[in-house]
Amino acid sequence: METITTPSGVTLAFDRFVGGAAGTVILIGGAFGYRKFPKMVELAEKLADEYKLTVINYDRRGRGDSTDSPGVYDVENEIEDIAALVAAAGGSAALFGWSSGAGLALRAANSGRIPGITGVVAFEPPFVVNRQEFVPAKDLEVKLHQLVASGNRGKTVSFYMTKAMGVPRAFVAVMRLTPFWKELKATANSTPHDWAVMKDFMRGESLRPADWAGVTVPTLVLAGGSSGRLLRNGARAIAEVLPTAKHVEVAKLSHNPKIDLLAPPAGEFLVGLARKADQ
C-alpha cells in the first residue's frame, strides 16, 4: 500500500500494479466500491499482467484505508483527489471508472483541471436519461445526509441501494443475509460522494452536449448486453454527447461483470492510447 495526501488534507491509499511500458491507468470504483474489492483487484492484475499497464487501484475518500471529509461532499474535491493521483503516477494517466466511478472519471476529464489525463474508459456510468424506468427522488440528498450523520450504516446501505440505485427491496433484503453486507456497511458513509458526482445527471432528462464539451480525450464507453435497460441507455446517451467517444456493448457482460469479458475491450483501448502517444 502507498499513500498520498491531497492539498485538502485527505490521505488516499492505493496499490500500484506495475505491468510494463504500456502506460498508466487509475481505477475508480463506484458506490460501495473499494480497492480490495475482489473484482477491482482482479481487473488491476489482468490489466497489468496481460496488457502491460501500470495500474493504480485506490480507495476513494471515505473507503478502505483512505480518510474522509465528513459532512463535505463536493465532486470538486474528488477531482482534486484524481489530480493528486495523476501527479503520483508521474503526471499522466488514463482513467477507468466503474458505475458512479465512471461518472467521476468523465467529470474529472471534463473539468479541465487535470491536463495529464490521456483517456477515459467509462463502464456503465449510471446516467438516468428518461423516466421510463427509475428516477431518484429530488430530495434524496437530505435523507441520505441525515442517515450518514446518524451512524446507522445498515439503513444507509438500504436507502442508497433502493432510492439512489433503484435496486429492488427484495434483493436488498437477501443481501442483508450475505457476508458481503458487512463490506457494504463499511463503505456506506461514502455514498454521499457518489451522489454528489451523479445527482445532476440522474433526473430523467436528456444529457446536453454543452455540459460535456470539455471531455476532449479519447473515451471508450462500455456497457453490458446483460445489464438493465437503464444502464445501457445511460451509456449510449453519454457516448452520443461526448466529442470523441466510442460506445461498445459487450455481450453477456453485466454491471456485476466477469472480468474476463470486461478487461479485453478496456485493455486494448488503453494500450492503443499508449501506442498513439509514442507515435
PDB file of all heavy atoms in Angstrom, residues 110-149:
ATOM      1  N   ASN A 110     -13.671  16.284 -17.863  1.00  0.00           N
ATOM      2  CA  ASN A 110     -14.433  17.449 -18.322  1.00  0.00           C
ATOM      3  C   ASN A 110     -14.029  18.736 -17.616  1.00  0.00           C
ATOM      4  O   ASN A 110     -14.259  19.837 -18.126  1.00  0.00           O
ATOM      5  CB  ASN A 110     -15.930  17.194 -18.101  1.00  0.00           C
ATOM      6  CG  ASN A 110     -16.815  18.190 -18.810  1.00  0.00           C
ATOM      7  OD1 ASN A 110     -16.654  18.453 -19.998  1.00  0.00           O
ATOM      8  ND2 ASN A 110     -17.779  18.749 -18.090  1.00  0.00           N
ATOM      9  N   SER A 111     -13.399  18.602 -16.449  1.00  0.00           N
ATOM     10  CA  SER A 111     -13.123  19.769 -15.606  1.00  0.00           C
ATOM     11  C   SER A 111     -12.053  20.687 -16.175  1.00  0.00           C
ATOM     12  O   SER A 111     -12.019  21.878 -15.840  1.00  0.00           O
ATOM     13  CB  SER A 111     -12.686  19.307 -14.212  1.00  0.00           C
ATOM     14  OG  SER A 111     -11.385  18.726 -14.261  1.00  0.00           O
ATOM     15  N   GLY A 112     -11.151  20.142 -16.975  1.00  0.00           N
ATOM     16  CA  GLY A 112     -10.030  20.935 -17.462  1.00  0.00           C
ATOM     17  C   GLY A 112      -8.949  21.164 -16.427  1.00  0.00           C
ATOM     18  O   GLY A 112      -7.971  21.866 -16.681  1.00  0.00           O
ATOM     19  N   ARG A 113      -9.099  20.570 -15.255  1.00  0.00           N
ATOM     20  CA  ARG A 113      -8.153  20.792 -14.159  1.00  0.00           C
ATOM     21  C   ARG A 113      -6.992  19.805 -14.156  1.00  0.00           C
ATOM     22  O   ARG A 113      -6.046  19.972 -13.401  1.00  0.00           O
ATOM     23  CB  ARG A 113      -8.889  20.694 -12.823  1.00  0.00           C
ATOM     24  CG  ARG A 113      -9.906  21.812 -12.590  1.00  0.00           C
ATOM     25  CD  ARG A 113     -10.757  21.544 -11.357  1.00  0.00           C
ATOM     26  NE  ARG A 113      -9.936  21.298 -10.165  1.00  0.00           N
ATOM     27  CZ  ARG A 113     -10.426  20.829  -9.034  1.00  0.00           C
ATOM     28  NH1 ARG A 113     -11.717  20.537  -8.941  1.00  0.00           N
ATOM     29  NH2 ARG A 113      -9.635  20.649  -7.992  1.00  0.00           N
ATOM     30  N   ILE A 114      -7.080  18.754 -14.987  1.00  0.00           N
ATOM     31  CA  ILE A 114      -6.051  17.708 -14.954  1.00  0.00           C
ATOM     32  C   ILE A 114      -5.564  17.462 -16.379  1.00  0.00           C
ATOM     33  O   ILE A 114      -6.028  16.553 -17.074  1.00  0.00           O
ATOM     34  CB  ILE A 114      -6.603  16.402 -14.345  1.00  0.00           C
ATOM     35  CG1 ILE A 114      -7.431  16.678 -13.074  1.00  0.00           C
ATOM     36  CG2 ILE A 114      -5.448  15.453 -14.012  1.00  0.00           C
ATOM     37  CD1 ILE A 114      -8.111  15.470 -12.515  1.00  0.00           C
ATOM     38  N   PRO A 115      -4.622  18.249 -16.855  1.00  0.00           N
ATOM     39  CA  PRO A 115      -4.149  18.088 -18.237  1.00  0.00           C
ATOM     40  C   PRO A 115      -3.471  16.756 -18.495  1.00  0.00           C
ATOM     41  O   PRO A 115      -3.303  16.354 -19.648  1.00  0.00           O
ATOM     42  CB  PRO A 115      -3.176  19.260 -18.414  1.00  0.00           C
ATOM     43  CG  PRO A 115      -2.765  19.644 -17.026  1.00  0.00           C
ATOM     44  CD  PRO A 115      -3.953  19.375 -16.170  1.00  0.00           C
ATOM     45  N   GLY A 116      -3.087  16.038 -17.437  1.00  0.00           N
ATOM     46  CA  GLY A 116      -2.399  14.767 -17.614  1.00  0.00           C
ATOM     47  C   GLY A 116      -3.282  13.581 -17.922  1.00  0.00           C
ATOM     48  O   GLY A 116      -2.791  12.465 -18.120  1.00  0.00           O
ATOM     49  N   ILE A 117      -4.598  13.762 -17.974  1.00  0.00           N
ATOM     50  CA  ILE A 117      -5.488  12.651 -18.324  1.00  0.00           C
ATOM     51  C   ILE A 117      -5.338  12.345 -19.812  1.00  0.00           C
ATOM     52  O   ILE A 117      -5.543  13.203 -20.662  1.00  0.00           O
ATOM     53  CB  ILE A 117      -6.952  12.981 -17.979  1.00  0.00           C
ATOM     54  CG1 ILE A 117      -7.127  13.133 -16.468  1.00  0.00           C
ATOM     55  CG2 ILE A 117      -7.889  11.881 -18.505  1.00  0.00           C
ATOM     56  CD1 ILE A 117      -8.517  13.579 -16.054  1.00  0.00           C
ATOM     57  N   THR A 118      -4.994  11.107 -20.132  1.00  0.00           N
ATOM     58  CA  THR A 118      -4.744  10.725 -21.524  1.00  0.00           C
ATOM     59  C   THR A 118      -5.948  10.076 -22.198  1.00  0.00           C
ATOM     60  O   THR A 118      -5.995   9.999 -23.431  1.00  0.00           O
ATOM     61  CB  THR A 118      -3.560   9.755 -21.600  1.00  0.00           C
ATOM     62  OG1 THR A 118      -3.858   8.581 -20.816  1.00  0.00           O
ATOM     63  CG2 THR A 118      -2.290  10.406 -21.068  1.00  0.00           C
ATOM     64  N   GLY A 119      -6.896   9.593 -21.420  1.00  0.00           N
ATOM     65  CA  GLY A 119      -8.075   8.948 -21.978  1.00  0.00           C
ATOM     66  C   GLY A 119      -8.953   8.429 -20.856  1.00  0.00           C
ATOM     67  O   GLY A 119      -8.544   8.417 -19.686  1.00  0.00           O
ATOM     68  N   VAL A 120     -10.164   8.010 -21.214  1.00  0.00           N
ATOM     69  CA  VAL A 120     -11.122   7.535 -20.222  1.00  0.00           C
ATOM     70  C   VAL A 120     -11.814   6.272 -20.729  1.00  0.00           C
ATOM     71  O   VAL A 120     -12.247   6.217 -21.889  1.00  0.00           O
ATOM     72  CB  VAL A 120     -12.202   8.593 -19.910  1.00  0.00           C
ATOM     73  CG1 VAL A 120     -13.255   8.031 -18.952  1.00  0.00           C
ATOM     74  CG2 VAL A 120     -11.571   9.852 -19.322  1.00  0.00           C
ATOM     75  N   VAL A 121     -11.907   5.277 -19.857  1.00  0.00           N
ATOM     76  CA  VAL A 121     -12.814   4.151 -20.065  1.00  0.00           C
ATOM     77  C   VAL A 121     -13.924   4.300 -19.037  1.00  0.00           C
ATOM     78  O   VAL A 121     -13.660   4.321 -17.831  1.00  0.00           O
ATOM     79  CB  VAL A 121     -12.119   2.792 -19.899  1.00  0.00           C
ATOM     80  CG1 VAL A 121     -13.132   1.656 -20.101  1.00  0.00           C
ATOM     81  CG2 VAL A 121     -10.961   2.646 -20.876  1.00  0.00           C
ATOM     82  N   ALA A 122     -15.151   4.428 -19.510  1.00  0.00           N
ATOM     83  CA  ALA A 122     -16.313   4.612 -18.626  1.00  0.00           C
ATOM     84  C   ALA A 122     -17.207   3.382 -18.736  1.00  0.00           C
ATOM     85  O   ALA A 122     -17.873   3.181 -19.755  1.00  0.00           O
ATOM     86  CB  ALA A 122     -17.072   5.872 -19.014  1.00  0.00           C
ATOM     87  N   PHE A 123     -17.219   2.559 -17.679  1.00  0.00           N
ATOM     88  CA  PHE A 123     -18.032   1.353 -17.679  1.00  0.00           C
ATOM     89  C   PHE A 123     -19.359   1.617 -16.974  1.00  0.00           C
ATOM     90  O   PHE A 123     -19.416   1.789 -15.767  1.00  0.00           O
ATOM     91  CB  PHE A 123     -17.280   0.203 -17.002  1.00  0.00           C
ATOM     92  CG  PHE A 123     -18.102  -1.046 -16.819  1.00  0.00           C
ATOM     93  CD1 PHE A 123     -18.843  -1.575 -17.861  1.00  0.00           C
ATOM     94  CD2 PHE A 123     -18.149  -1.691 -15.592  1.00  0.00           C
ATOM     95  CE1 PHE A 123     -19.605  -2.718 -17.698  1.00  0.00           C
ATOM     96  CE2 PHE A 123     -18.904  -2.829 -15.409  1.00  0.00           C
ATOM     97  CZ  PHE A 123     -19.642  -3.350 -16.468  1.00  0.00           C
ATOM     98  N   GLU A 124     -20.408   1.707 -17.752  1.00  0.00           N
ATOM     99  CA  GLU A 124     -21.781   1.865 -17.280  1.00  0.00           C
ATOM    100  C   GLU A 124     -21.975   2.984 -16.253  1.00  0.00           C
ATOM    101  O   GLU A 124     -22.450   2.747 -15.132  1.00  0.00           O
ATOM    102  CB  GLU A 124     -22.315   0.537 -16.739  1.00  0.00           C
ATOM    103  CG  GLU A 124     -22.408  -0.516 -17.832  1.00  0.00           C
ATOM    104  CD  GLU A 124     -23.186  -1.766 -17.440  1.00  0.00           C
ATOM    105  OE1 GLU A 124     -23.293  -2.048 -16.230  1.00  0.00           O
ATOM    106  OE2 GLU A 124     -23.694  -2.447 -18.338  1.00  0.00           O
ATOM    107  N   PRO A 125     -21.625   4.213 -16.618  1.00  0.00           N
ATOM    108  CA  PRO A 125     -21.978   5.335 -15.737  1.00  0.00           C
ATOM    109  C   PRO A 125     -23.500   5.404 -15.615  1.00  0.00           C
ATOM    110  O   PRO A 125     -24.204   5.343 -16.624  1.00  0.00           O
ATOM    111  CB  PRO A 125     -21.406   6.554 -16.467  1.00  0.00           C
ATOM    112  CG  PRO A 125     -21.311   6.131 -17.904  1.00  0.00           C
ATOM    113  CD  PRO A 125     -21.014   4.665 -17.888  1.00  0.00           C
ATOM    114  N   PRO A 126     -24.044   5.523 -14.402  1.00  0.00           N
ATOM    115  CA  PRO A 126     -25.495   5.379 -14.204  1.00  0.00           C
ATOM    116  C   PRO A 126     -26.295   6.651 -14.495  1.00  0.00           C
ATOM    117  O   PRO A 126     -27.077   7.125 -13.655  1.00  0.00           O
ATOM    118  CB  PRO A 126     -25.598   4.975 -12.734  1.00  0.00           C
ATOM    119  CG  PRO A 126     -24.430   5.662 -12.093  1.00  0.00           C
ATOM    120  CD  PRO A 126     -23.321   5.619 -13.120  1.00  0.00           C
ATOM    121  N   PHE A 127     -26.121   7.198 -15.687  1.00  0.00           N
ATOM    122  CA  PHE A 127     -26.933   8.344 -16.080  1.00  0.00           C
ATOM    123  C   PHE A 127     -28.380   7.893 -16.271  1.00  0.00           C
ATOM    124  O   PHE A 127     -28.637   6.868 -16.900  1.00  0.00           O
ATOM    125  CB  PHE A 127     -26.403   8.948 -17.379  1.00  0.00           C
ATOM    126  CG  PHE A 127     -25.024   9.539 -17.269  1.00  0.00           C
ATOM    127  CD1 PHE A 127     -23.923   8.886 -17.812  1.00  0.00           C
ATOM    128  CD2 PHE A 127     -24.825  10.735 -16.608  1.00  0.00           C
ATOM    129  CE1 PHE A 127     -22.652   9.432 -17.701  1.00  0.00           C
ATOM    130  CE2 PHE A 127     -23.553  11.292 -16.488  1.00  0.00           C
ATOM    131  CZ  PHE A 127     -22.468  10.633 -17.042  1.00  0.00           C
ATOM    132  N   VAL A 128     -29.315   8.662 -15.727  1.00  0.00           N
ATOM    133  CA  VAL A 128     -30.745   8.373 -15.890  1.00  0.00           C
ATOM    134  C   VAL A 128     -31.299   9.416 -16.848  1.00  0.00           C
ATOM    135  O   VAL A 128     -31.451  10.590 -16.490  1.00  0.00           O
ATOM    136  CB  VAL A 128     -31.483   8.416 -14.537  1.00  0.00           C
ATOM    137  CG1 VAL A 128     -32.976   8.120 -14.743  1.00  0.00           C
ATOM    138  CG2 VAL A 128     -30.868   7.404 -13.571  1.00  0.00           C
ATOM    139  N   VAL A 129     -31.572   9.001 -18.077  1.00  0.00           N
ATOM    140  CA  VAL A 129     -31.836   9.949 -19.152  1.00  0.00           C
ATOM    141  C   VAL A 129     -33.292   9.957 -19.623  1.00  0.00           C
ATOM    142  O   VAL A 129     -33.638  10.676 -20.552  1.00  0.00           O
ATOM    143  CB  VAL A 129     -30.903   9.677 -20.346  1.00  0.00           C
ATOM    144  CG1 VAL A 129     -29.456   9.907 -19.946  1.00  0.00           C
ATOM    145  CG2 VAL A 129     -31.075   8.249 -20.873  1.00  0.00           C
ATOM    146  N   ASN A 130     -34.139   9.160 -18.991  1.00  0.00           N
ATOM    147  CA  ASN A 130     -35.567   9.222 -19.283  1.00  0.00           C
ATOM    148  C   ASN A 130     -36.329   8.759 -18.045  1.00  0.00           C
ATOM    149  O   ASN A 130     -35.722   8.362 -17.051  1.00  0.00           O
ATOM    150  CB  ASN A 130     -35.934   8.375 -20.518  1.00  0.00           C
ATOM    151  CG  ASN A 130     -35.551   6.913 -20.344  1.00  0.00           C
ATOM    152  OD1 ASN A 130     -35.896   6.278 -19.361  1.00  0.00           O
ATOM    153  ND2 ASN A 130     -34.806   6.367 -21.319  1.00  0.00           N
ATOM    154  N   ARG A 131     -37.635   8.818 -18.102  1.00  0.00           N
ATOM    155  CA  ARG A 131     -38.460   8.465 -16.948  1.00  0.00           C
ATOM    156  C   ARG A 131     -39.195   7.148 -17.148  1.00  0.00           C
ATOM    157  O   ARG A 131     -40.200   6.878 -16.505  1.00  0.00           O
ATOM    158  CB  ARG A 131     -39.451   9.598 -16.648  1.00  0.00           C
ATOM    159  CG  ARG A 131     -38.744  10.882 -16.233  1.00  0.00           C
ATOM    160  CD  ARG A 131     -39.696  11.994 -15.838  1.00  0.00           C
ATOM    161  NE  ARG A 131     -38.948  13.118 -15.287  1.00  0.00           N
ATOM    162  CZ  ARG A 131     -38.598  13.235 -14.005  1.00  0.00           C
ATOM    163  NH1 ARG A 131     -38.963  12.310 -13.140  1.00  0.00           N
ATOM    164  NH2 ARG A 131     -37.900  14.280 -13.595  1.00  0.00           N
ATOM    165  N   GLN A 132     -38.676   6.321 -18.014  1.00  0.00           N
ATOM    166  CA  GLN A 132     -39.347   5.060 -18.320  1.00  0.00           C
ATOM    167  C   GLN A 132     -39.052   3.965 -17.302  1.00  0.00           C
ATOM    168  O   GLN A 132     -39.803   3.009 -17.188  1.00  0.00           O
ATOM    169  CB  GLN A 132     -38.932   4.594 -19.724  1.00  0.00           C
ATOM    170  CG  GLN A 132     -39.378   5.539 -20.825  1.00  0.00           C
ATOM    171  CD  GLN A 132     -38.831   5.142 -22.180  1.00  0.00           C
ATOM    172  OE1 GLN A 132     -38.177   4.120 -22.330  1.00  0.00           O
ATOM    173  NE2 GLN A 132     -39.084   5.970 -23.182  1.00  0.00           N
ATOM    174  N   GLU A 133     -37.929   4.073 -16.577  1.00  0.00           N
ATOM    175  CA  GLU A 133     -37.593   3.043 -15.599  1.00  0.00           C
ATOM    176  C   GLU A 133     -37.623   3.607 -14.176  1.00  0.00           C
ATOM    177  O   GLU A 133     -38.626   3.579 -13.501  1.00  0.00           O
ATOM    178  CB  GLU A 133     -36.205   2.447 -15.908  1.00  0.00           C
ATOM    179  CG  GLU A 133     -36.156   1.553 -17.137  1.00  0.00           C
ATOM    180  CD  GLU A 133     -35.817   2.328 -18.393  1.00  0.00           C
ATOM    181  OE1 GLU A 133     -35.156   3.367 -18.287  1.00  0.00           O
ATOM    182  OE2 GLU A 133     -36.215   1.894 -19.490  1.00  0.00           O
ATOM    183  N   PHE A 134     -36.512   4.206 -13.751  1.00  0.00           N
ATOM    184  CA  PHE A 134     -36.359   4.633 -12.359  1.00  0.00           C
ATOM    185  C   PHE A 134     -35.706   6.002 -12.319  1.00  0.00           C
ATOM    186  O   PHE A 134     -34.725   6.259 -13.023  1.00  0.00           O
ATOM    187  CB  PHE A 134     -35.489   3.606 -11.618  1.00  0.00           C
ATOM    188  CG  PHE A 134     -34.899   4.113 -10.321  1.00  0.00           C
ATOM    189  CD1 PHE A 134     -35.667   4.151  -9.175  1.00  0.00           C
ATOM    190  CD2 PHE A 134     -33.580   4.552 -10.268  1.00  0.00           C
ATOM    191  CE1 PHE A 134     -35.132   4.623  -7.986  1.00  0.00           C
ATOM    192  CE2 PHE A 134     -33.034   5.014  -9.081  1.00  0.00           C
ATOM    193  CZ  PHE A 134     -33.819   5.047  -7.941  1.00  0.00           C
ATOM    194  N   VAL A 135     -36.244   6.892 -11.490  1.00  0.00           N
ATOM    195  CA  VAL A 135     -35.648   8.212 -11.299  1.00  0.00           C
ATOM    196  C   VAL A 135     -35.569   8.473  -9.791  1.00  0.00           C
ATOM    197  O   VAL A 135     -36.589   8.421  -9.101  1.00  0.00           O
ATOM    198  CB  VAL A 135     -36.481   9.323 -11.975  1.00  0.00           C
ATOM    199  CG1 VAL A 135     -35.828  10.682 -11.742  1.00  0.00           C
ATOM    200  CG2 VAL A 135     -36.633   9.055 -13.469  1.00  0.00           C
ATOM    201  N   PRO A 136     -34.375   8.752  -9.252  1.00  0.00           N
ATOM    202  CA  PRO A 136     -34.263   9.040  -7.817  1.00  0.00           C
ATOM    203  C   PRO A 136     -35.053  10.294  -7.428  1.00  0.00           C
ATOM    204  O   PRO A 136     -35.235  11.208  -8.236  1.00  0.00           O
ATOM    205  CB  PRO A 136     -32.763   9.269  -7.617  1.00  0.00           C
ATOM    206  CG  PRO A 136     -32.107   8.583  -8.770  1.00  0.00           C
ATOM    207  CD  PRO A 136     -33.064   8.748  -9.907  1.00  0.00           C
ATOM    208  N   ALA A 137     -35.497  10.328  -6.181  1.00  0.00           N
ATOM    209  CA  ALA A 137     -36.244  11.482  -5.684  1.00  0.00           C
ATOM    210  C   ALA A 137     -35.341  12.709  -5.610  1.00  0.00           C
ATOM    211  O   ALA A 137     -34.150  12.613  -5.324  1.00  0.00           O
ATOM    212  CB  ALA A 137     -36.811  11.175  -4.303  1.00  0.00           C
ATOM    213  N   LYS A 138     -35.925  13.884  -5.842  1.00  0.00           N
ATOM    214  CA  LYS A 138     -35.144  15.124  -5.831  1.00  0.00           C
ATOM    215  C   LYS A 138     -34.578  15.444  -4.447  1.00  0.00           C
ATOM    216  O   LYS A 138     -33.533  16.071  -4.330  1.00  0.00           O
ATOM    217  CB  LYS A 138     -36.008  16.287  -6.330  1.00  0.00           C
ATOM    218  CG  LYS A 138     -36.317  16.226  -7.821  1.00  0.00           C
ATOM    219  CD  LYS A 138     -37.104  17.448  -8.253  1.00  0.00           C
ATOM    220  CE  LYS A 138     -37.368  17.420  -9.753  1.00  0.00           C
ATOM    221  NZ  LYS A 138     -38.135  18.616 -10.209  1.00  0.00           N
ATOM    222  N   ASP A 139     -35.292  15.035  -3.384  1.00  0.00           N
ATOM    223  CA  ASP A 139     -34.838  15.354  -2.029  1.00  0.00           C
ATOM    224  C   ASP A 139     -34.006  14.235  -1.407  1.00  0.00           C
ATOM    225  O   ASP A 139     -33.805  14.204  -0.191  1.00  0.00           O
ATOM    226  CB  ASP A 139     -36.041  15.666  -1.143  1.00  0.00           C
ATOM    227  CG  ASP A 139     -36.997  14.473  -0.991  1.00  0.00           C
ATOM    228  OD1 ASP A 139     -36.830  13.469  -1.725  1.00  0.00           O
ATOM    229  OD2 ASP A 139     -37.901  14.558  -0.150  1.00  0.00           O
ATOM    230  N   LEU A 140     -33.510  13.338  -2.222  1.00  0.00           N
ATOM    231  CA  LEU A 140     -32.756  12.192  -1.715  1.00  0.00           C
ATOM    232  C   LEU A 140     -31.564  12.622  -0.860  1.00  0.00           C
ATOM    233  O   LEU A 140     -31.267  12.020   0.167  1.00  0.00           O
ATOM    234  CB  LEU A 140     -32.280  11.340  -2.894  1.00  0.00           C
ATOM    235  CG  LEU A 140     -31.521  10.048  -2.571  1.00  0.00           C
ATOM    236  CD1 LEU A 140     -31.822   8.987  -3.616  1.00  0.00           C
ATOM    237  CD2 LEU A 140     -30.008  10.268  -2.492  1.00  0.00           C
ATOM    238  N   GLU A 141     -30.891  13.670  -1.267  1.00  0.00           N
ATOM    239  CA  GLU A 141     -29.672  14.103  -0.591  1.00  0.00           C
ATOM    240  C   GLU A 141     -29.916  14.422   0.881  1.00  0.00           C
ATOM    241  O   GLU A 141     -29.087  14.098   1.748  1.00  0.00           O
ATOM    242  CB  GLU A 141     -29.110  15.324  -1.314  1.00  0.00           C
ATOM    243  CG  GLU A 141     -27.805  15.835  -0.763  1.00  0.00           C
ATOM    244  CD  GLU A 141     -27.237  16.947  -1.631  1.00  0.00           C
ATOM    245  OE1 GLU A 141     -26.775  16.670  -2.749  1.00  0.00           O
ATOM    246  OE2 GLU A 141     -27.283  18.100  -1.170  1.00  0.00           O
ATOM    247  N   VAL A 142     -31.043  15.041   1.193  1.00  0.00           N
ATOM    248  CA  VAL A 142     -31.337  15.428   2.577  1.00  0.00           C
ATOM    249  C   VAL A 142     -31.407  14.197   3.469  1.00  0.00           C
ATOM    250  O   VAL A 142     -30.754  14.123   4.523  1.00  0.00           O
ATOM    251  CB  VAL A 142     -32.650  16.226   2.650  1.00  0.00           C
ATOM    252  CG1 VAL A 142     -33.023  16.506   4.106  1.00  0.00           C
ATOM    253  CG2 VAL A 142     -32.529  17.518   1.863  1.00  0.00           C
ATOM    254  N   LYS A 143     -32.190  13.213   3.067  1.00  0.00           N
ATOM    255  CA  LYS A 143     -32.332  11.991   3.851  1.00  0.00           C
ATOM    256  C   LYS A 143     -31.023  11.223   3.935  1.00  0.00           C
ATOM    257  O   LYS A 143     -30.656  10.696   5.001  1.00  0.00           O
ATOM    258  CB  LYS A 143     -33.417  11.111   3.231  1.00  0.00           C
ATOM    259  CG  LYS A 143     -33.650   9.785   3.948  1.00  0.00           C
ATOM    260  CD  LYS A 143     -34.189   9.961   5.354  1.00  0.00           C
ATOM    261  CE  LYS A 143     -34.567   8.618   5.957  1.00  0.00           C
ATOM    262  NZ  LYS A 143     -35.049   8.751   7.358  1.00  0.00           N
ATOM    263  N   LEU A 144     -30.276  11.163   2.838  1.00  0.00           N
ATOM    264  CA  LEU A 144     -29.011  10.439   2.821  1.00  0.00           C
ATOM    265  C   LEU A 144     -28.034  11.041   3.822  1.00  0.00           C
ATOM    266  O   LEU A 144     -27.404  10.317   4.605  1.00  0.00           O
ATOM    267  CB  LEU A 144     -28.415  10.460   1.416  1.00  0.00           C
ATOM    268  CG  LEU A 144     -27.045   9.803   1.253  1.00  0.00           C
ATOM    269  CD1 LEU A 144     -27.092   8.325   1.601  1.00  0.00           C
ATOM    270  CD2 LEU A 144     -26.533   9.999  -0.176  1.00  0.00           C
ATOM    271  N   HIS A 145     -27.921  12.359   3.830  1.00  0.00           N
ATOM    272  CA  HIS A 145     -27.003  13.014   4.761  1.00  0.00           C
ATOM    273  C   HIS A 145     -27.446  12.788   6.211  1.00  0.00           C
ATOM    274  O   HIS A 145     -26.605  12.618   7.107  1.00  0.00           O
ATOM    275  CB  HIS A 145     -26.919  14.500   4.463  1.00  0.00           C
ATOM    276  CG  HIS A 145     -26.188  14.808   3.188  1.00  0.00           C
ATOM    277  ND1 HIS A 145     -25.858  16.088   2.825  1.00  0.00           N
ATOM    278  CD2 HIS A 145     -25.710  14.014   2.203  1.00  0.00           C
ATOM    279  CE1 HIS A 145     -25.214  16.070   1.663  1.00  0.00           C
ATOM    280  NE2 HIS A 145     -25.120  14.822   1.272  1.00  0.00           N
ATOM    281  N   GLN A 146     -28.742  12.768   6.457  1.00  0.00           N
ATOM    282  CA  GLN A 146     -29.249  12.514   7.803  1.00  0.00           C
ATOM    283  C   GLN A 146     -28.888  11.109   8.272  1.00  0.00           C
ATOM    284  O   GLN A 146     -28.484  10.907   9.422  1.00  0.00           O
ATOM    285  CB  GLN A 146     -30.765  12.709   7.837  1.00  0.00           C
ATOM    286  CG  GLN A 146     -31.207  14.161   7.711  1.00  0.00           C
ATOM    287  CD  GLN A 146     -32.721  14.305   7.570  1.00  0.00           C
ATOM    288  OE1 GLN A 146     -33.438  13.332   7.318  1.00  0.00           O
ATOM    289  NE2 GLN A 146     -33.205  15.525   7.743  1.00  0.00           N
ATOM    290  N   LEU A 147     -29.026  10.135   7.379  1.00  0.00           N
ATOM    291  CA  LEU A 147     -28.712   8.750   7.741  1.00  0.00           C
ATOM    292  C   LEU A 147     -27.226   8.590   8.037  1.00  0.00           C
ATOM    293  O   LEU A 147     -26.843   7.920   9.002  1.00  0.00           O
ATOM    294  CB  LEU A 147     -29.125   7.806   6.612  1.00  0.00           C
ATOM    295  CG  LEU A 147     -30.621   7.513   6.499  1.00  0.00           C
ATOM    296  CD1 LEU A 147     -30.920   6.759   5.199  1.00  0.00           C
ATOM    297  CD2 LEU A 147     -31.089   6.691   7.702  1.00  0.00           C
ATOM    298  N   VAL A 148     -26.382   9.193   7.211  1.00  0.00           N
ATOM    299  CA  VAL A 148     -24.940   9.100   7.450  1.00  0.00           C
ATOM    300  C   VAL A 148     -24.589   9.740   8.793  1.00  0.00           C
ATOM    301  O   VAL A 148     -23.815   9.186   9.579  1.00  0.00           O
ATOM    302  CB  VAL A 148     -24.159   9.764   6.300  1.00  0.00           C
ATOM    303  CG1 VAL A 148     -22.684   9.906   6.659  1.00  0.00           C
ATOM    304  CG2 VAL A 148     -24.308   8.947   5.014  1.00  0.00           C
ATOM    305  N   ALA A 149     -25.154  10.899   9.072  1.00  0.00           N
ATOM    306  CA  ALA A 149     -24.884  11.587  10.331  1.00  0.00           C
ATOM    307  C   ALA A 149     -25.363  10.780  11.539  1.00  0.00           C
ATOM    308  O   ALA A 149     -24.772  10.862  12.621  1.00  0.00           O
ATOM    309  CB  ALA A 149     -25.537  12.965  10.328  1.00  0.00           C
TER     310      ALA A 149
END
